[in-house]
Amino acid sequence: MCGIIGIASNKPVSINIINSLKKLEYRGYDSAGIATLTDNTINEKKCSGRVEELEKILFKTPSNGNIGIGHVRWATHGVPNITNAHPHSSEQVSVVHNGIIENSDEIKKELKAKGIKFKSQTDTEVVTLLITEALKENKPLESVFKTLKKLKGSFALGIIFKNFSNIIIGARRGSPLAVGYSKEENYIGSDSYALKSMTNKISYLEDGELCLLTKDEVSFYDERLKKINKKILTLSENGSSADKGEYKHFMVKEIFEQPDTVKECIEEYVDSSKKNINILNFPIDPQKINKIILIGCGTAYNSCLTAKYWFEELTSIDVEIDIASEFRYRNLKFNAKNLYIFVSQSGETADTAAALDICKKNNIKTCSVVNVIESTIARNSDWVLPIHAGIEIGVASTKAFLGQLTVLYILCLKLAFVRKDIDEKTYVKHVTNLKKLPDAIKKCIKSENNVQLMAKEFISAKGSMFLGRGPSFPIALEGALKLKELSYLHAEGYPAGEMKHGPLALIEEGLPVIVLAPMDKYFEKTISNMQEVIARGGKILFITDNKKESLNENIRFGLRVPHIDNLLSPILLTLPLQMLAYHVALLKNCDVDKPRNLAKSVTVE
Ligand code: AGP
């Protein structure tokens, strides 16, 4: 999950490359670099750390040149230092790469045997040196084409050439690559977000395709190097601006956006006057669906696990869920009456995209629930259900999670109704309740001060447990994931009923234990599990929507969220956990928007 950019222009490109790299930092931020062409010389500058370090270098020693490439890195091969930062250049060629070259060791051995020297520990450098070798007998495009045929693994590449100072070549296999168009200037970039400040005219490369761009024109080639045409999309300006406004971090801005983003999502799907959900073009006749399989990674997987409870509760459809990186290696038995639903905020997660690809190869109908509708996963699905959350910059997903839950819940209601698993009265009741969700979310967010008080309990603790039953269990997983990825503290989400089968041994005096206990059929059982924890010294942080429950004296902190109906409780229980993770991270001075070791979109295995 790195970010790449390339610009061919009639004017110097380094400032625009730097600005695009700043927009790409959500994809990786452990090192950065730029290479431009000036007087037929490749001028490469790199840094470890953030793009602003690179900006300082350029300020001191400006790079001119109207052709250039840039890169932000999330290390896969080789430690994050200047040597391993991209671009990787020889005297003839400079390359930026997002992906993993799986046979790089084998190629390295072959090239070293020819006396070719390597500077870095990266896989990418083999691409640079293979192209350099091929250039001895081929033109740039053929050199790249011959090189790609030797590579195994995934890549999005941006390449410039010392002796061809007006072209940039891009290539894609398994990692996203977009092309942007402007007057006397053209671009390649990992995604449209990196290009949006310069153009809204975008094309997307598919796997196996290459592009060759100059400042005046762009040509595309297929995997046989045959010239092809590509559609030019005009991207919409989406509502949420990609700046923090008055907020300190993108994450807290995105938490506070949730009443609006969920409201917008509901309005996109629900006809407010008729109280009807206008999802119509199912890829499989809803009456004939015999199983739904929900697939995602990380937070997106947690939304799948939550939705499983809804589908089981409201429909007669059998439901299965899987983590994408597991699904893609299973010995799967496909059935044309199964609907596979892929959930992904970015729509670029490699494991999820690969899992989708397996379904496509088996002629299985697929649906994707995404935030980025121009993304690979969306473009490769038979049916796309956007979550309308607006751009999400914080690496820790918040508003996208609620968007995923909202869309999956809406889909579940619609399927239950069209299949007559629920009657019209029940359907209208649930749709009416759904419309109360944005205001209830707003009320949840008002409890931020109490949550802030809870945050202190985690700072010096050895770890923490998040417990829930039924649809609160995936929310417990999500709360633990948020705390881990934001504060780097160990946290574990667990089914409350499972604690007695081992993890209860972890409970000791003062260990913070978050108990999620909405007023549903699991409430009493969850209270019993909570008592087992209290009896062993656990410090209970209790979150419920049960107004009557008197918070007993053994509870360190009690927090109430609004109650609409049991089915919507998991969504409301999520808000305090998002805010808790945020405040613990603040207390620990962690980088809230760019947590260490992570990236917003994991486009490698
Ligand atoms: C979410 O907080 C995490 N950053 C991560 O688990 C994320 O949900 C996962 O990588 C999936 O990303 P996607 O939704 O873009 O596919």
Side-chain angles (χ1 to χ4, degrees), residues 297-300 343-347 349 395-397 404 481-482 485 602:
C297 299
T299 287
V343 182
S344 174
Q345 187 286 131
S346 62
T349 298
V395 166
S397 189
Q404 290 159 1
L481 175 62
K482 286 280 129 351
E485 64 179 329
V602 185

Side-chain angles (χ1 to χ4, degrees), residues 364-384:
I364 291 294
K365 293 292 182 196
T366 57
C367 163
S368 60
V369 174
V370 296
N371 197 24
V372 183
I373 53 175
E374 316 103 350
S375 62
T376 302
I377 288 171
R379 285 184 286 118
N380 290 344
S381 305
D382 296 295
W383 194 41
V384 182

